Amino acid sequence: MTDVMLLWETPLLFEKLFIEYGIKCQRVPAESLGTPFLPPCRCLVLPTGFANPAYTSTLKGVVRNKSKIEKFLKNGGTVLIFGPMVPEYDYDWLPIELKYIQEQGSGSVQRMEGNEEICAIDSYTTEVEYDGYFMGTDAKVILRDSSYRPIMVVKDAGKGKVIACSIHEFPSKDFLQRIVEISASCKI
């Protein structure tokens, strides 16, 4: 069984992180979502830059498979999204309200109480690099930057979760393992 499907066309350094953490990961092009040959998985991951055509064509396949992603979430899968790396972006293919504004930054972060179990950074991390922030969202804020803007949010969608994170660093092992634990294995 595959724990994580990484939506991207070409090899990424990110893949090695999952292997290092003992998480079964398969990289697939987004156009193949919903095909009968893909195995079930627990989490779909869209790496940083997924909406920028200079990096990838992933977004076309994601938008085309909106209904399959919604069904995946409804059945208990998790969608983990990093920054799209475009000036502004509306996530209209997700069943949540969410807008992204690109603004590179680094600095201290504020954890919102009660969300420690699903945070992309370790409890001892107090400063991060990020590529933007979120606004216009109905999701729960997990992390804010020093200007109190959301840089990580989570929202239940069906039995699953949508997690959006603009942190421009690799997530912690505990975070990725926790996502696999709380997500149901389902077909997309």
Side-chain angles (χ1 to χ4, degrees):
M1 175 183 67
T2 300
D3 294 323
V4 172
M5 281 194 192
L6 190 60
L7 301 181
W8 207 264
E9 298 89 13
T10 57
L12 291 168
L13 184 59
F14 203 18
E15 288 175 84
K16 293 182 181 185
L17 184 71
F18 291 101
I19 293 166
E20 181 180 314
Y21 291 170
I23 297 171
K24 295 176 187 149
C25 177
Q26 180 177 350
R27 181 179 31 85
V28 298
E31 286 79 17
S32 66
L33 291 177
T35 62
F37 306 107
L38 285 180
C41 72
R42 296 179 178 277
C43 182
L44 293 177
V45 176
L46 282 90
T48 301
F50 72 89
N52 190 322
Y55 304 134
T56 181
S57 62
T58 296
L59 184 59
K60 290 184 275 183
V62 168
V63 171
R64 189 173 21 256
N65 288 291
K66 173 183 176 176
S67 64
K68 291 176 177 82
I69 292 170
E70 287 179 3
K71 183 179 176 187
F72 177 75
L73 286 163
K74 179 182 172 188
N75 291 328
T78 296
V79 176
L80 173 59
I81 311 157
F82 291 91
M85 294 300 288
V86 292
E88 290 186 19
Y89 186 75
D90 287 308
Y91 295 80
D92 53 5
W93 51 272
L94 283 173
I96 70 170
E97 294 176 30
L98 189 62
K99 182 175 181 159
Y100 166 90
I101 304 295
Q102 185 179 21
E103 184 178 304
Q104 304 290 330
S106 65
S108 62
V109 292
Q110 177 188 15
R111 291 173 182 272
M112 306 311 292
E113 285 191 38
N115 301 303
E116 293 79 13
E117 80 284 351
I118 197 156
C119 188
I121 59 175
D122 292 318
S123 58
Y124 56 83
T125 301
T126 58
E127 294 197 8
V128 298
E129 289 187 31
Y130 51 90
D131 53 58
Y133 60 91
F134 301 105
M135 58 186 286
T137 185
D138 58 350
K140 187 178 189 179
V141 177
I142 306 298
L143 288 172
R144 294 182 191 265
D145 67 9
S146 59
S147 298
Y148 303 105
R149 299 175 301 195
I151 59 173
M152 183 178 178
V153 298
V154 69
K155 170 94 179 186
D156 290 338
K159 294 179 185 174
K161 293 188 182 311
V162 173
I163 303 169
C165 184
S166 65
I167 293 174
H168 207 73
E169 300 177 9
F170 285 137
S172 75
K173 179 179 182 178
D174 290 340
F175 170 68
L176 292 176
Q177 288 178 333
R178 178 72 178 137
I179 289 173
V180 170
E181 288 172 9
I182 65 171
S183 304
S185 179
C186 23
K187 290 284 282 179
I188 183 156

